[in-house]
Amino acid sequence: MTIKKLLKIDLQGLVMLGIVIAMEIILGRFSFGPAIVKVGLGFIGSVMLGYLFGPIWGAVGGCISDLVSSALFGNQGGFFIGFTLTAMAGPFIYGLFFYQKPVKIWRIIVATLLVTLIVNIGMNTLWVHFLYGMNLKAALIQRAPKELIVPWIQMFIDYFVLQAISRVKIKK
């Protein structure tokens, strides 16, 4: 697939992108726990962005979602560009594995584990360290239980969300 094809989006695609961004913002509001180990449903929007729009537009959607969410609801500790990069990285990785590809369990497992390792454990822990001055080792230890359990729940949810979306025929 060429870059030109990945960057092409029509008006209907932009409208759909806006709808999925709105869904991600709303789903992201359903979360619990402190900022260091927050658990929520925002990952569903990231998966949908990657699946429907690919890595490039998925990342753009993740960026817009983070900026709009931050503007509307604010963030604990204020706006931080690192979390915007995180919001872009998730849909980018999901897009690499899901965009215009059949829904396969191995894709869901690999994509979710990569997002968990790179985005949640790597990037988010680094941003928590920068923002709150928390020791990296201490931050990793606090976040470890969540990152050992939550991805398996996400994979289960991702499977059903992707199965449902794959059955819907969107006119291109």
Side-chain angles (χ1 to χ4, degrees):
M1 189 169 311
T2 64
I3 295 290
K4 186 176 180 181
K5 207 172 190 182
L6 284 174
L7 292 176
K8 188 176 180 182
I9 192 165
D10 60 359
L11 181 59
Q12 182 180 358
L14 282 174
V15 171
M16 188 65 166
L17 181 65
I19 291 168
V20 176
I21 289 170
M23 289 174 62
E24 181 175 25
I25 292 169
I26 292 166
L27 288 169
R29 301 303 299 161
F30 293 99
S31 61
F32 61 92
I36 295 168
V37 289
K38 188 181 276 190
V39 177
L41 297 176
F43 73 93
I44 296 171
S46 294
V47 168
M48 290 174 65
L49 284 169
Y51 179 81
L52 293 171
F53 301 102
I56 305 296
W57 282 104
V60 168
C63 176
I64 293 168
S65 171
D66 183 71
L67 295 174
V68 170
S69 181
S70 180
L72 289 175
F73 307 111
N75 290 330
Q76 186 177 355
F79 173 77
F80 181 65
I81 192 70
F83 289 119
T84 303
L85 295 174
T86 295
M88 294 172 71
F92 182 83
I93 293 170
Y94 288 128
L96 292 174
F97 283 88
F98 301 146
Y99 185 60
Q100 296 183 341
K101 295 181 173 113
V103 176
K104 301 281 185 189
I105 292 174
W106 74 265
R107 287 186 202 281
I108 294 169
I109 293 170
V110 172
T112 304
L113 290 177
L114 281 175
V115 168
T116 299
L117 289 171
I118 295 168
V119 177
N120 299 346
I121 294 174
M123 295 173 78
N124 280 344
T125 304
L126 189 62
W127 307 146
V128 166
H129 166 70
F130 287 153
L131 272 179
Y132 304 110
M134 188 174 215
N135 180 301
L136 272 174
K137 189 175 181 181
L140 281 170
I141 290 170
Q142 262 190 326
R143 297 169 62 83
K146 173 202 170 217
E147 299 306 338
L148 289 171
I149 298 167
V150 172
W152 305 102
I153 298 166
Q154 289 179 348
M155 287 177 210
F156 181 77
I157 294 169
D158 288 347
Y159 177 77
F160 290 104
V161 168
L162 290 173
Q163 285 292 334
I165 294 172
S166 70
R167 291 186 186 122
V168 176
K169 303 293 182 214
I170 299 172
K171 198 175 188 180
K172 293 274 180 178

